[in-house]
Amino acid sequence: MKPLAVLLTAAALACATAATAQTFPTKPIRIVVGFPAGGPLDQHARLLSDKLQTVLGQPVVMDYKSGAGGTVGAQEVMKSPADGHTIMLANTGVMVINPALYSKLPYATLKDFVPVARTAMQPLALLVNPNVPAKNLQEFMAYAKTRPGQVNFGSAGNGGISHLVPEMFKSATGLFMVHIPYRGSAPAFTDLMAGQVQFMAESIPQAASYHKQGKVRALAVTSRERNPALPDVPTVIESGIKGFEVVGFYGFLAPAGTPKEAVNKLSDAFKQVLQMPDVRNRMVSQGADPAFMGADDFAAFLASEMPRWAEVVKKSGAKLD
């Protein structure tokens, strides 16, 4: 009887697994964003969500849990039911920078979450308020050099990519600028346009729109090649800083323990959405490169990125408790 019981149990589990694959999702998908509405992550999520709900056959709702460089949102997802119906859209900072930045981080990326899909690679633009009398990066460097400590740069928060890239820029050029951290990208960008801060590193979707309106001035992009959304803006390398290349990324994660079948269905849904020409075209026009990775490849990618960014954080001297 024991072998029969084992076979019946295995069959029951197989049926349950098949049922999960067939029925998921059974309710709306909640996408948690750990930053305020209106920022680059919000734009990216909204671009994908309409198509995603068509593919999955369930509504997709946004939930903003901002604070502590995305940590508040990560904790919200970590504690959510591991059924695939709550996922997190995260950036480079949340996934690979925070683990090196916070001495007491309440989550471990590859322990407390299951990677679902990488969706985009995204360089940043180095921006100034239009009242700064610099038309290119070399002119800005000359301007800031004669005003040590008088030029402020804003960021989405201590230790995030928008903080670390200017720190890397300062190290590469020897400039002394003062860091002003904000609770998210949107308020920092608002103060950049208002002239409360003079300099900022921001993702290209946000930068391109306001650069074209003349509300900020893009001086350079941090990718190796020029970006189609800002074709008139040179790279930092072109501007004379050898080897300066920094590209962030976006991706989705689910709570640890989420069934593989649900993860795979979500991952496949993102793949389908990112293959849609209108989505790809809009992403490129906003400055994000569609860069799908499935769950397993994304997990391997994160594992390789973590030591790289840990070294950047160490060199910057940034540390948060």
Side-chain angles (χ1 to χ4, degrees):
M1 292 297 293
K2 287 184 178 179
L4 178 59
V6 170
L7 288 172
L8 289 173
T9 300
L13 288 173
C15 290
T17 297
T20 299
Q22 291 171 3
T23 59
F24 175 84
T26 59
K27 59 183 179 180
I29 301 295
R30 180 170 68 122
I31 297 178
V32 174
V33 179
F35 298 91
L41 275 180
D42 183 27
Q43 292 181 19
H44 186 65
R46 290 182 182 280
L47 174 61
L48 302 182
S49 62
D50 286 346
K51 303 290 187 181
L52 189 66
Q53 62 188 14
T54 300
V55 173
L56 291 172
Q58 287 286 349
V60 176
V61 297
M62 309 296 298
D63 192 0
Y64 304 96
K65 302 289 184 181
S66 63
T71 299
V72 172
Q75 285 184 280
E76 171 74 15
V77 175
M78 181 179 70
K79 297 175 181 178
S80 296
D83 59 8
H85 293 97
T86 296
I87 58 177
M88 170 174 68
L89 170 58
N91 58 11
T92 312
V94 175
M95 290 183 275
V96 299
I97 295 176
N98 283 358
L101 181 68
Y102 287 87
S103 58
K104 298 178 181 178
L105 191 70
Y107 66 86
T109 302
L110 296 178
K111 176 184 176 183
D112 295 315
F113 301 99
V114 177
V116 172
R118 188 187 72 181
T119 51
M121 296 292 283
Q122 213 164 43
L124 288 84
L126 301 185
L127 310 171
V128 293
N129 177 275
N131 291 327
V132 173
K135 303 299 183 185
N136 55 55
L137 198 59
Q138 287 292 335
E139 289 182 6
F140 174 74
M141 290 162 56
Y143 173 83
K145 187 174 183 179
T146 61
R147 295 165 178 81
Q150 298 178 40
V151 175
N152 298 329
F153 73 91
S155 79
N158 280 314
I161 193 169
S162 62
H163 170 206
L164 293 178
V165 168
E167 292 290 355
M168 294 165 70
F169 176 66
K170 286 168 59 179
S171 297
T173 59
L175 297 176
F176 173 34
M177 298 187 292
V178 178
H179 176 217
I180 309 295
Y182 290 80
R183 288 176 60 87
S185 175
F189 204 83
T190 297
D191 269 10
L192 175 69
M193 291 189 292
Q196 300 300 315
V197 295
Q198 292 77 46
F199 182 81
M200 188 172 175
E202 180 57 277
S203 59
I204 286 181
Q206 180 101 323
S209 174
Y210 288 96
H211 169 77
K212 291 170 184 175
Q213 295 176 42
K215 294 181 179 179
V216 299
R217 183 180 301 123
L219 301 181
V221 294
T222 62
S223 50
R224 183 163 293 276
E225 305 292 337
R226 292 195 183 197
N227 192 279
L230 290 168
D232 60 323
V233 178
T235 67
V236 178
I237 296 173
E238 281 182 275
S239 302
I241 303 178
K242 186 177 179 180
F244 196 101
E245 179 184 9
V246 188
V247 180
F249 56 91
Y250 290 164
F252 290 81
L253 302 96
T258 299
K260 184 66 173 176
E261 294 75 22
V263 170
N264 288 342
K265 192 160 186 178
L266 287 167
S267 183
D268 183 66
F270 281 113
K271 183 178 182 179
Q272 291 183 53
V273 170
L274 289 170
Q275 288 174 338
M276 296 177 181
D278 57 333
V279 172
R280 295 180 66 85
N281 291 339
R282 285 181 63 190
M283 284 181 66
V284 170
S285 69
Q286 291 177 346
D289 298 323
F292 174 79
M293 267 189 179
D296 293 339
D297 288 341
F298 188 30
F301 172 79
L302 289 175
S304 68
E305 284 289 292
M306 293 182 84
R308 176 186 176 223
W309 281 98
E311 184 63 24
V312 173
V313 170
K314 182 179 178 180
K315 287 182 177 179
S316 77
K319 202 68 181 176
L320 294 176
D321 294 323

